[in-house]
């Protein structure tokens, strides 16, 4: 299994996974041409993608889904509530190939399965994902809300993970965000801090690597997030930070 973060953060999220002849995109928060060119820089053609799977209705995850379908012919997988919310005001445009799933369902693409897991994040019907293929398991876990019941067990089953590490509490509290937004981010339906994420990964006894994702621009830095994770883990596995502005390298699982 190979995976690439095409971008991650509140300015847009998109992850690519290929395994066993199946090519998947998770989230469409960056414009189609950017996703295509970043895949192209790794020798991949976006037109070869078999499915786009959407995590939740926030714009940084779904805003360009309609374009991916109309321009590149990619089928969309989404929950009914997320679809209804995302379509409000005609924001997705005309769609012709949509498959609805319920969070908790297992999606099958040939020999690849994608487990969908509901989250307490403040989307209308958020999900995170575990991609399973040939005995390997990759987590794509952002916009988690908080460390909900069952999440450590999921982490303990994974071989590799993209994991939310959104903010540093001190930077958030002294930073420029309005009070309501600070409260939302730290609240039980917001995002995980560096420390919450690092403590969570202590359950990851099978993990070969972790790529930190959805880092805040104002309230975090890749250096700080990586340092906290490396300190807490005792340096047992390599850590990477997904960029808000560029594709990652190709990670192998
Ligand atoms: Zn987000
Ligand atoms: Zn969100």
């Amino acid at each position: 299994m190979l995976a690439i973060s095409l971008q991650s953060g509140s300015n847009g999220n998109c992850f690519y996974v290929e395994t066993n002849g199946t090519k998947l995109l998770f989230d469409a928060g960056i414009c189609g041409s950017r996703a295509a060119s970043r895949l192209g820089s790794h020798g991949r053609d976006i037109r070869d993608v078999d499915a786009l799977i959407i995590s939740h209705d926030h714009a940084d995850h779904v805003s360009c889904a309609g374009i991916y379908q109309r321009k590149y012919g990619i089928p969309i997988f989404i929950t009914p509530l997320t679809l209804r919310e995302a379509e409000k005001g005609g924001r997705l445009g005309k769609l012709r190939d949509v498959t609805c799933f319920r969070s908790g369902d297992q999606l099958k693409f040939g020999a690849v399965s994608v487990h969908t897991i509901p989250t307490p994040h403040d989307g209308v019907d958020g999900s995170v994902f575990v991609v399973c293929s040939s005995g390997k398991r990759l987590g794509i876990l952002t916009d988690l809300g908080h460390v909900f019941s069952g999440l450590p067990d999921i982490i303990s089953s994974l071989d590799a993970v993209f994991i939310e590490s959104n903010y540093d509490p001190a930077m958030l509290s002294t930073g420029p965000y309005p009070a309501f937004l600070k409260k939302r981010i730290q609240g039980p339906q917001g995002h995980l801090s560096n420390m919450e994420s690092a403590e969570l990964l202590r359950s990851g006894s099978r993990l070969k690597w972790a790529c930190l994702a959805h880092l805040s621009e104002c309230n975090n830095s890749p250096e700080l997030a990586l340092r906290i994770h490396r300190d807490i883990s005792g340096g047992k596995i390599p850590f990477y930070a997904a960029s808000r502005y560029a594709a990652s390298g190709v990670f192998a699982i």
Side-chain angles (χ1 to χ4, degrees):
M1 194 183 320
L2 300 174
I4 304 169
S5 165
L6 299 181
Q7 180 166 313
S8 187
S10 55
N11 60 338
N13 294 271
C14 187
F15 298 94
Y16 172 81
V17 178
E18 67 177 43
T19 177
N20 259 325
T22 295
K23 299 177 171 70
L24 304 172
L25 282 176
F26 293 85
D27 287 336
I30 60 174
C31 72
S33 57
R34 183 171 294 172
S37 76
R38 289 183 180 168
L39 278 172
S41 72
H42 282 301
R44 271 76 177 176
D45 187 339
I46 196 169
R47 289 179 176 80
D48 293 338
V49 170
D50 298 294
L52 166 65
I53 304 167
I54 298 294
S55 66
H56 65 296
D57 59 290
H58 291 160
D60 55 317
H61 298 263
V62 73
S63 61
C64 302
I67 293 162
Y68 289 30
Q69 173 154 114
R70 290 187 294 278
K71 203 165 170 188
Y72 305 119
I74 305 176
I76 295 172
F77 290 71
I78 190 166
T79 76
L81 287 175
T82 296
L83 178 62
R84 195 174 70 189
E85 191 68 22
E87 279 190 317
K88 278 188 180 162
R91 285 183 293 160
L92 291 186
K94 199 166 170 49
L95 303 176
R96 53 173 175 70
D97 188 353
V98 175
T99 301
C100 281
F101 67 89
R102 307 258 164 203
S103 197
D105 287 354
Q106 191 179 140
L107 310 176
K108 293 288 269 180
F109 303 94
V112 181
S113 61
V114 176
H115 297 261
T116 70
I117 301 146
T119 74
H121 182 63
D122 57 4
V124 294
D125 190 24
S127 304
V128 289
F129 306 108
V130 176
V131 186
C132 310
S133 173
S134 301
K136 300 288 188 186
R137 292 168 62 86
L138 167 68
I140 301 177
L141 311 178
T142 72
D143 303 69
L144 289 160
H146 62 272
V147 179
F148 55 88
S149 171
L151 188 53
D153 289 339
I154 292 164
I155 295 287
S156 73
S157 77
L158 298 176
D159 297 285
V161 68
F162 292 103
I163 183 77
E164 170 169 68
S165 191
N166 181 254
Y167 68 95
D168 172 70
M171 289 176 77
L172 178 64
S173 72
T174 57
Y177 279 17
F180 82 90
L181 200 48
K182 291 180 179 182
K183 196 172 165 201
R184 177 203 161 230
I185 289 167
Q186 295 180 90
Q189 297 181 294
H191 294 284
L192 296 197
S193 70
N194 293 329
M195 190 60 90
E196 287 170 326
S197 173
E199 290 286 350
L200 173 62
L201 289 195
R202 292 169 79 121
S203 304
S205 52
R206 286 175 51 162
L207 287 174
K208 299 293 186 295
W209 55 260
C211 181
L212 313 184
H214 217 297
L215 272 64
S216 170
E217 172 94 280
C218 289
N219 310 311
N220 207 353
S221 74
E223 297 74 23
L224 176 60
L226 286 166
R227 179 159 56 76
I228 289 171
H229 277 266
R230 285 171 181 149
D231 285 353
I232 299 282
S233 78
K236 284 208 273 293
I237 58 167
F239 286 94
Y240 308 94
S243 172
R244 296 171 57 92
Y245 303 105
S248 68
V250 181
F251 297 112
I253 298 102

PDB file of all heavy atoms in Angstrom, residues 165-181:
ATOM      1  N   SER A 165      -3.086  16.457  14.474  1.00  0.00           N
ATOM      2  CA  SER A 165      -2.291  17.045  15.570  1.00  0.00           C
ATOM      3  C   SER A 165      -2.426  18.549  15.381  1.00  0.00           C
ATOM      4  O   SER A 165      -1.522  19.219  14.908  1.00  0.00           O
ATOM      5  CB  SER A 165      -0.847  16.556  15.487  1.00  0.00           C
ATOM      6  OG  SER A 165      -0.117  16.899  16.640  1.00  0.00           O
ATOM      7  N   ASN A 166      -3.593  19.071  15.757  1.00  0.00           N
ATOM      8  CA  ASN A 166      -4.033  20.368  15.253  1.00  0.00           C
ATOM      9  C   ASN A 166      -3.392  21.571  15.911  1.00  0.00           C
ATOM     10  O   ASN A 166      -3.011  22.536  15.241  1.00  0.00           O
ATOM     11  CB  ASN A 166      -5.563  20.451  15.345  1.00  0.00           C
ATOM     12  CG  ASN A 166      -6.120  21.757  14.824  1.00  0.00           C
ATOM     13  OD1 ASN A 166      -6.549  22.614  15.591  1.00  0.00           O
ATOM     14  ND2 ASN A 166      -6.076  21.950  13.515  1.00  0.00           N
ATOM     15  N   TYR A 167      -3.289  21.550  17.230  1.00  0.00           N
ATOM     16  CA  TYR A 167      -2.896  22.819  17.870  1.00  0.00           C
ATOM     17  C   TYR A 167      -2.061  22.602  19.124  1.00  0.00           C
ATOM     18  O   TYR A 167      -2.081  21.534  19.747  1.00  0.00           O
ATOM     19  CB  TYR A 167      -4.147  23.638  18.220  1.00  0.00           C
ATOM     20  CG  TYR A 167      -4.997  23.030  19.316  1.00  0.00           C
ATOM     21  CD1 TYR A 167      -4.838  23.425  20.647  1.00  0.00           C
ATOM     22  CD2 TYR A 167      -5.935  22.041  19.029  1.00  0.00           C
ATOM     23  CE1 TYR A 167      -5.606  22.855  21.661  1.00  0.00           C
ATOM     24  CE2 TYR A 167      -6.697  21.464  20.037  1.00  0.00           C
ATOM     25  CZ  TYR A 167      -6.529  21.873  21.347  1.00  0.00           C
ATOM     26  OH  TYR A 167      -7.275  21.299  22.346  1.00  0.00           O
ATOM     27  N   ASP A 168      -1.342  23.667  19.473  1.00  0.00           N
ATOM     28  CA  ASP A 168      -0.651  23.758  20.756  1.00  0.00           C
ATOM     29  C   ASP A 168      -1.519  24.621  21.669  1.00  0.00           C
ATOM     30  O   ASP A 168      -1.845  25.765  21.297  1.00  0.00           O
ATOM     31  CB  ASP A 168       0.718  24.411  20.545  1.00  0.00           C
ATOM     32  CG  ASP A 168       1.404  24.706  21.854  1.00  0.00           C
ATOM     33  OD1 ASP A 168       1.817  23.749  22.534  1.00  0.00           O
ATOM     34  OD2 ASP A 168       1.497  25.889  22.222  1.00  0.00           O
ATOM     35  N   PRO A 169      -1.916  24.135  22.832  1.00  0.00           N
ATOM     36  CA  PRO A 169      -2.861  24.891  23.671  1.00  0.00           C
ATOM     37  C   PRO A 169      -2.364  26.291  24.050  1.00  0.00           C
ATOM     38  O   PRO A 169      -3.149  27.235  24.080  1.00  0.00           O
ATOM     39  CB  PRO A 169      -3.017  24.010  24.919  1.00  0.00           C
ATOM     40  CG  PRO A 169      -2.692  22.631  24.450  1.00  0.00           C
ATOM     41  CD  PRO A 169      -1.642  22.794  23.395  1.00  0.00           C
ATOM     42  N   ALA A 170      -1.061  26.441  24.306  1.00  0.00           N
ATOM     43  CA  ALA A 170      -0.545  27.770  24.689  1.00  0.00           C
ATOM     44  C   ALA A 170      -0.617  28.732  23.506  1.00  0.00           C
ATOM     45  O   ALA A 170      -1.011  29.894  23.657  1.00  0.00           O
ATOM     46  CB  ALA A 170       0.891  27.632  25.184  1.00  0.00           C
ATOM     47  N   MET A 171      -0.258  28.250  22.307  1.00  0.00           N
ATOM     48  CA  MET A 171      -0.340  29.117  21.118  1.00  0.00           C
ATOM     49  C   MET A 171      -1.782  29.483  20.815  1.00  0.00           C
ATOM     50  O   MET A 171      -2.083  30.617  20.430  1.00  0.00           O
ATOM     51  CB  MET A 171       0.285  28.418  19.905  1.00  0.00           C
ATOM     52  CG  MET A 171       1.793  28.300  19.973  1.00  0.00           C
ATOM     53  SD  MET A 171       2.481  27.364  18.581  1.00  0.00           S
ATOM     54  CE  MET A 171       2.412  28.585  17.262  1.00  0.00           C
ATOM     55  N   LEU A 172      -2.697  28.518  21.015  1.00  0.00           N
ATOM     56  CA  LEU A 172      -4.116  28.798  20.773  1.00  0.00           C
ATOM     57  C   LEU A 172      -4.621  29.857  21.752  1.00  0.00           C
ATOM     58  O   LEU A 172      -5.285  30.823  21.350  1.00  0.00           O
ATOM     59  CB  LEU A 172      -4.937  27.514  20.905  1.00  0.00           C
ATOM     60  CG  LEU A 172      -6.448  27.656  20.715  1.00  0.00           C
ATOM     61  CD1 LEU A 172      -6.806  28.093  19.295  1.00  0.00           C
ATOM     62  CD2 LEU A 172      -7.168  26.339  21.038  1.00  0.00           C
ATOM     63  N   SER A 173      -4.285  29.694  23.029  1.00  0.00           N
ATOM     64  CA  SER A 173      -4.869  30.597  24.034  1.00  0.00           C
ATOM     65  C   SER A 173      -4.312  32.007  23.903  1.00  0.00           C
ATOM     66  O   SER A 173      -5.015  32.981  24.179  1.00  0.00           O
ATOM     67  CB  SER A 173      -4.688  30.050  25.444  1.00  0.00           C
ATOM     68  OG  SER A 173      -3.347  30.169  25.823  1.00  0.00           O
ATOM     69  N   THR A 174      -3.063  32.168  23.453  1.00  0.00           N
ATOM     70  CA  THR A 174      -2.489  33.517  23.319  1.00  0.00           C
ATOM     71  C   THR A 174      -2.609  34.046  21.891  1.00  0.00           C
ATOM     72  O   THR A 174      -2.197  35.175  21.622  1.00  0.00           O
ATOM     73  CB  THR A 174      -0.995  33.506  23.710  1.00  0.00           C
ATOM     74  OG1 THR A 174      -0.317  32.552  22.893  1.00  0.00           O
ATOM     75  CG2 THR A 174      -0.808  33.134  25.169  1.00  0.00           C
ATOM     76  N   GLY A 175      -3.145  33.231  20.985  1.00  0.00           N
ATOM     77  CA  GLY A 175      -3.183  33.587  19.565  1.00  0.00           C
ATOM     78  C   GLY A 175      -4.349  34.495  19.198  1.00  0.00           C
ATOM     79  O   GLY A 175      -5.113  34.933  20.061  1.00  0.00           O
ATOM     80  N   PRO A 176      -4.482  34.767  17.895  1.00  0.00           N
ATOM     81  CA  PRO A 176      -5.433  35.786  17.419  1.00  0.00           C
ATOM     82  C   PRO A 176      -6.888  35.336  17.259  1.00  0.00           C
ATOM     83  O   PRO A 176      -7.747  36.154  16.948  1.00  0.00           O
ATOM     84  CB  PRO A 176      -4.860  36.152  16.048  1.00  0.00           C
ATOM     85  CG  PRO A 176      -4.215  34.884  15.567  1.00  0.00           C
ATOM     86  CD  PRO A 176      -3.683  34.208  16.802  1.00  0.00           C
ATOM     87  N   TYR A 177      -7.182  34.063  17.462  1.00  0.00           N
ATOM     88  CA  TYR A 177      -8.540  33.602  17.189  1.00  0.00           C
ATOM     89  C   TYR A 177      -9.533  34.213  18.173  1.00  0.00           C
ATOM     90  O   TYR A 177      -9.202  34.427  19.349  1.00  0.00           O
ATOM     91  CB  TYR A 177      -8.621  32.074  17.294  1.00  0.00           C
ATOM     92  CG  TYR A 177      -8.151  31.319  16.075  1.00  0.00           C
ATOM     93  CD1 TYR A 177      -7.370  31.932  15.093  1.00  0.00           C
ATOM     94  CD2 TYR A 177      -8.480  29.983  15.902  1.00  0.00           C
ATOM     95  CE1 TYR A 177      -6.931  31.225  13.992  1.00  0.00           C
ATOM     96  CE2 TYR A 177      -8.046  29.267  14.791  1.00  0.00           C
ATOM     97  CZ  TYR A 177      -7.269  29.890  13.835  1.00  0.00           C
ATOM     98  OH  TYR A 177      -6.843  29.188  12.740  1.00  0.00           O
ATOM     99  N   PRO A 178     -10.775  34.473  17.745  1.00  0.00           N
ATOM    100  CA  PRO A 178     -11.810  34.924  18.675  1.00  0.00           C
ATOM    101  C   PRO A 178     -12.142  33.839  19.704  1.00  0.00           C
ATOM    102  O   PRO A 178     -11.913  32.646  19.447  1.00  0.00           O
ATOM    103  CB  PRO A 178     -13.023  35.202  17.775  1.00  0.00           C
ATOM    104  CG  PRO A 178     -12.755  34.447  16.514  1.00  0.00           C
ATOM    105  CD  PRO A 178     -11.262  34.323  16.373  1.00  0.00           C
ATOM    106  N   ALA A 179     -12.675  34.283  20.855  1.00  0.00           N
ATOM    107  CA  ALA A 179     -12.899  33.374  21.986  1.00  0.00           C
ATOM    108  C   ALA A 179     -13.765  32.179  21.590  1.00  0.00           C
ATOM    109  O   ALA A 179     -13.491  31.040  21.990  1.00  0.00           O
ATOM    110  CB  ALA A 179     -13.518  34.129  23.146  1.00  0.00           C
ATOM    111  N   PHE A 180     -14.818  32.415  20.787  1.00  0.00           N
ATOM    112  CA  PHE A 180     -15.729  31.300  20.464  1.00  0.00           C
ATOM    113  C   PHE A 180     -15.005  30.220  19.668  1.00  0.00           C
ATOM    114  O   PHE A 180     -15.253  29.029  19.831  1.00  0.00           O
ATOM    115  CB  PHE A 180     -16.959  31.822  19.704  1.00  0.00           C
ATOM    116  CG  PHE A 180     -16.744  32.033  18.232  1.00  0.00           C
ATOM    117  CD1 PHE A 180     -16.995  31.005  17.324  1.00  0.00           C
ATOM    118  CD2 PHE A 180     -16.279  33.248  17.733  1.00  0.00           C
ATOM    119  CE1 PHE A 180     -16.797  31.190  15.964  1.00  0.00           C
ATOM    120  CE2 PHE A 180     -16.065  33.444  16.377  1.00  0.00           C
ATOM    121  CZ  PHE A 180     -16.326  32.413  15.490  1.00  0.00           C
ATOM    122  N   LEU A 181     -14.067  30.645  18.824  1.00  0.00           N
ATOM    123  CA  LEU A 181     -13.337  29.689  17.986  1.00  0.00           C
ATOM    124  C   LEU A 181     -12.308  28.918  18.820  1.00  0.00           C
ATOM    125  O   LEU A 181     -12.125  27.703  18.644  1.00  0.00           O
ATOM    126  CB  LEU A 181     -12.655  30.443  16.841  1.00  0.00           C
ATOM    127  CG  LEU A 181     -12.238  29.637  15.611  1.00  0.00           C
ATOM    128  CD1 LEU A 181     -13.349  28.732  15.108  1.00  0.00           C
ATOM    129  CD2 LEU A 181     -11.788  30.589  14.497  1.00  0.00           C
TER     130      LEU A 181
END
